[in-house]
Amino acid sequence: MTRLTQAVATLWLLAMPAFAQNSPVVVELFTSQGCSSCPPADELMHALAERDDVIALALHVDYWDYIGWKDEFADPRNAERQRAYATTAGRRSIYTPEMIVNGLTDIVGAKPMEIAKAIAIHKEYPQAVSLSLTRKGEQVQIDATVLRSGSGPMVVQMLRYTPQRKARITRGENAGRTITYANVTEDWKVLREWDGKSPLSLAARAPGDAPVVVLIQAARMGPILAAAQLR
């Protein structure tokens, strides 16, 4: 993709209208500082991070560290999550860059028009679970209710992210580049399982100023049924 096409496509991503669904669409990017194909996808994440109807999350993986540069933001659990998605979808391999939209739609590489289309499609799905977050000091109060039958069992997850992190890469495929990454994830944890038969009310500790994201996802790496964040 040329720089001009990339810029036009990014502007189109920002201009896409938001459809009438309360829960934002989650876009997970599996990326690596050691991957020469990843910078265009990393750049698109900045545009996605500006959208109010999207929660954009960059999950740095460690499986390219052996080719000359250790990704300082990588977490082995991110690669485990990507492998779990691949297993659920019947794929035999994992790769970067890969974007997964709402736990369902797999997009390879930096394809802003495909990403925008997938976001628009997921925004049209009927909302399965209502989810609200409120902050009380160092605690986040999580409340959720099933809106459509057949949603359970589910997994309630919480994570934090840093809106921008810069890396100066001195070795490997991206040697000599300084890249600013958007919404780099950290402290991803499972809070509990939930069968959805009664409303969910849960308090979780979240000290500090980093944004908080809560995801309610169908068990066994199914679709993300609800998402919310506190910035």
Side-chain angles (χ1 to χ4, degrees):
M1 180 179 292
T2 67
R3 289 187 177 182
L4 178 60
T5 304
Q6 179 84 19
V8 171
T10 300
L11 288 173
W12 188 61
L13 254 180
L14 286 168
M16 281 292 293
F19 293 89
Q21 180 176 321
N22 293 329
S23 186
V25 173
V26 177
V27 178
E28 300 174 64
L29 169 64
F30 293 92
T31 186
S32 172
Q33 294 173 11
C35 160
S36 62
S37 301
C38 286
D42 298 321
E43 183 180 345
L44 284 178
M45 289 294 282
H46 290 277
L48 291 170
E50 293 182 18
R51 290 180 55 159
D52 291 334
D53 61 332
V54 171
I55 297 177
L57 303 172
L59 292 84
H60 285 244
V61 300
D62 61 348
Y63 51 80
W64 294 124
D65 288 358
Y66 76 95
I67 60 176
W69 177 254
K70 180 177 174 58
D71 189 322
E72 59 195 297
F73 307 151
D75 188 326
R77 292 172 295 182
N78 294 339
E80 290 175 8
R81 183 172 176 85
Q82 189 182 20
R83 290 188 186 98
Y85 272 132
T87 298
T88 298
R91 294 189 296 269
R92 295 185 177 181
S93 60
I94 57 176
Y95 44 81
T96 57
E98 178 186 28
M99 289 187 178
I100 296 182
V101 182
N102 264 8
L104 281 177
T105 304
D106 166 57
I107 297 172
V108 183
K111 300 176 182 176
M113 294 183 183
E114 287 191 21
I115 294 163
K117 181 180 178 181
I119 291 169
I121 289 171
H122 282 278
K123 289 294 292 182
E124 292 179 323
Y125 290 170
Q127 189 170 355
V129 175
S130 68
L131 172 64
S132 65
L133 309 181
T134 54
R135 193 189 296 272
K136 298 179 180 179
E138 292 190 346
Q139 299 284 323
V140 171
Q141 177 62 36
I142 304 166
D143 294 289
T145 305
V146 169
L147 301 177
R148 289 190 290 128
S149 61
S151 298
M154 293 164 280
V155 179
V156 183
Q157 305 163 72
M158 187 175 76
L159 63 123
R160 317 296 293 274
Y161 68 79
T162 301
Q164 289 196 5
R165 294 189 71 178
K166 184 178 291 187
R168 182 174 177 270
I169 302 168
T170 61
R171 297 187 303 278
E173 292 185 349
N174 289 318
R177 303 187 66 163
T178 297
I179 301 175
T180 300
Y181 297 91
N183 292 11
V184 178
T185 60
E186 56 196 50
D187 196 27
W188 197 308
K189 64 184 71 172
V190 172
L191 298 180
R192 60 164 291 182
E193 296 182 354
W194 179 42
D195 62 13
K197 293 178 181 179
S198 59
L200 174 73
S201 181
L202 173 66
R205 191 168 181 270
D209 298 328
V212 177
V213 174
V214 172
L215 307 177
I216 296 180
Q217 186 165 15
R220 297 179 294 278
M221 296 305 291
I224 293 173
L225 304 173
Q229 67 178 333
L230 295 170
R231 302 190 195 193

